[in-house]
Structure formats: C-alpha cells, structure tokens
Amino acid sequence: MFHHVLVRRPCPAVCEGITSAPELGRPDYEKALRQHDAYIEALRRCGVEVTVLDALPEFPDSCFVEDTAVLTPNCAIISNPGAPSRQKESAYIVDAVKRFYPDSRIEYITAPGTMEGGDVMMVGNHFYIGLSARTNEEGCRQFLAALEKHGHTGSVVPLEKVLHLKTGLAYLEDNNLLVAGEFCDKEEFARFNKIEISPGESYSANCIWVNGTVLVPAGYPAAKAAIEKAGYPVIEVDTSEFRKIDGGLSCLSLRF
C-alpha cells in the first residue's frame, strides 16, 4: 500500500523540456496544468496523501519528480540524473524527502554515478534498475549498495531501445507485469504473468498501480481493456502534454 505521494507543479518552461519526439509539438502549458490537476485528483481517489511541491522555473523537466529519488519502505535514495540539464534537480527534493525519512535512512547517488528513478521498478522487496542512457554502471553499483545496506535487494537490467526501464514496464502487484517492446521476452521477467501491450499502444505501458487501482494514460483502449480483464479498476488520466517531452504517468510522482 502507498500512503504518500510527492508531485511537483509544472513550470512555464515545461514547453522547453527534453524530447525525443519533436514531431508531437510543444506542450501547451495551461493544458499541462489542467492535466496535472486531474492527475493529482486521480491519485487522491486512490487513498493517498498528495504533497504538491512548488514549480522550479529554471528546470523545464522538473515536474518529472520520479527521476530525482527512489523512495523505498526502508530508505530514500536521492538520484543524480544522467541528463546534464537535470542534475541539479535532485537537490530540491531533499527537504521534502526529509519530512518522511530521517537522515540515517537517506542515501545519495554521487558522480561519476548517474541514476534516474524512471529506471527503477519495485517488486516487493526487490528493485530492478535499468542500465540506460541516463543510469550508468556506477549509478547502478551505488544504488544496489544502498538497497542492500537497508535490507532490500536489487538487480540490473540492460536496456537496448527505451529511455527508462519503466517506459515499457509497470508492475501491477500480484505477480502481474505490464510489458511492451523489448521487455516482452526479456529473461529477467520470465517469471511474471505478462500483460503485453501492442506496439501501437506502447506508450500506455507506463501505468501506475496505486492501492489496487491502475492509473492508465487516456486514449489507449486496448491497454485499458487488458488491465480491466486482469481484474483491476482503472482510472484514465490524460498525459498528452507530458508525452510531448518524454514523460508518462509514473514520471510525475514519487509514491511511497
């Protein structure tokens, strides 16, 4: 169960966020704010307390707060993002994290290690971390050491095509795993009950399970139907403006 969620408001500079899909166009800031409001409301419907952090005007991608930390049951691990323009964002999450974790349970990824929370997926007491363009080998090493120090386990999953591990994965609890693209046949996930997402709806693989309900990006009917067939209630949330800058549902919050 999750009890708390941290989110950060989008700033006007969100329109200048990092993107690998410029063909989708620039985000509409006012629409992004409305979508963020709806996202917060959907989370609250799942029974969590949402802490809304102020926007950071100097950091276009700072609404993607998930990349700045990993919050586990036993510890908090502050990241060191691999995107140069985002590396100072993590400093701004520390005060918020300290409201919930004592200093003795907070760890930090430091250079030359890089790690972004979008590369981390929690499955019970075990954490998968993606070796990606944003999370390097030293970041993985530091992350695994921090987990082990606080009683968790972890393993590394090399990525081949996607930006982050959770770009194509979502753990829905009860051994059910939403998979898309390169993750459909990765040996690391062979033991799970897989719900496969078609290439045409691959963006929707970035869902989030929150206390028994699954938040799903709006506009992907096959994915929504497959998740409902697996027995989960679904809340659709429009993330069209965040998709334009490589963001999805999980990116917008820290859940713990």
Side-chain angles (χ1 to χ4, degrees):
M1 294 285 288
F2 294 126
H3 301 285
H4 301 284
V5 174
L6 300 179
V7 303
R8 187 178 295 284
R9 291 297 277 169
C11 66
V14 71
C15 302
E16 310 301 329
I18 301 168
T19 182
S20 62
E23 69 277 5
L24 296 177
R26 286 163 53 88
D28 179 300
Y29 177 56
E30 295 301 328
K31 186 174 181 180
L33 288 178
R34 293 194 297 271
Q35 290 181 353
H36 200 253
D37 287 337
Y39 179 75
I40 292 168
E41 177 57 29
L43 288 166
R44 287 176 172 151
R45 286 171 59 188
C46 297
V48 294
E49 178 182 331
V50 181
T51 299
V52 182
L53 305 176
D54 292 339
L56 296 176
E58 65 270 44
F59 297 109
D61 296 285
S62 55
C63 58
F64 300 134
V65 69
E66 179 183 57
D67 290 322
T68 62
V70 174
L71 304 183
T72 85
N74 297 346
C75 66
I77 303 173
I78 306 300
S79 72
N80 182 32
S85 64
R86 302 195 63 192
Q87 287 182 342
K88 294 182 179 179
E89 287 180 31
S90 292
Y92 293 90
I93 198 65
V94 174
D95 285 346
V97 169
K98 286 185 175 182
R99 300 177 198 173
F100 302 96
Y101 293 82
D103 287 346
S104 61
R105 292 171 55 202
I106 301 177
E107 306 291 337
Y108 297 82
I109 304 298
T110 59
T114 63
M115 184 272 281
E116 295 190 358
D119 275 321
V120 177
M121 181 177 72
M122 179 177 73
V123 178
N125 195 52
H126 189 82
F127 290 77
Y128 293 92
I129 180 167
L131 178 61
S132 72
R134 301 284 185 85
T135 299
N136 65 16
E137 290 185 2
E138 175 60 15
C140 290
R141 187 197 67 76
Q142 291 182 31
F143 181 73
L144 295 180
L147 289 176
E148 291 168 9
K149 176 180 176 180
H150 293 276
H152 295 301
T153 60
S155 56
V156 178
V157 181
L159 305 188
E160 300 166 18
K161 299 176 182 178
V162 295
L163 175 65
H164 284 140
L165 185 76
K166 289 201 292 274
T167 300
L169 287 176
Y171 185 56
L172 305 183
E173 303 296 320
D174 302 315
N175 205 47
N176 295 321
L177 185 66
L178 208 63
V179 296
E182 67 183 85
F183 300 106
C184 292
D185 55 6
K186 272 194 180 293
E187 182 62 29
E188 292 91 339
F189 306 112
R191 71 178 180 88
F192 293 97
N193 303 318
K194 296 178 184 176
I195 303 171
E196 292 196 15
I197 302 300
S198 68
E201 293 199 0
S202 61
Y203 175 77
S204 65
N206 184 251
C207 295
I208 52 175
W209 177 96
V210 185
N211 301 340
T213 295
V214 180
L215 273 59
V216 180
Y220 300 90
K224 177 177 181 288
I227 295 166
E228 289 176 331
K229 184 178 180 181
Y232 297 96
V234 165
I235 299 175
E236 288 188 286
V237 182
D238 190 354
T239 55
S240 65
E241 301 314 292
F242 302 103
R243 184 187 179 194
K244 294 173 181 178
I245 49 171
D246 298 342
L249 281 169
S250 77
C251 312
L252 289 164
S253 62
L254 285 162
R255 304 160 299 280
F256 59 106

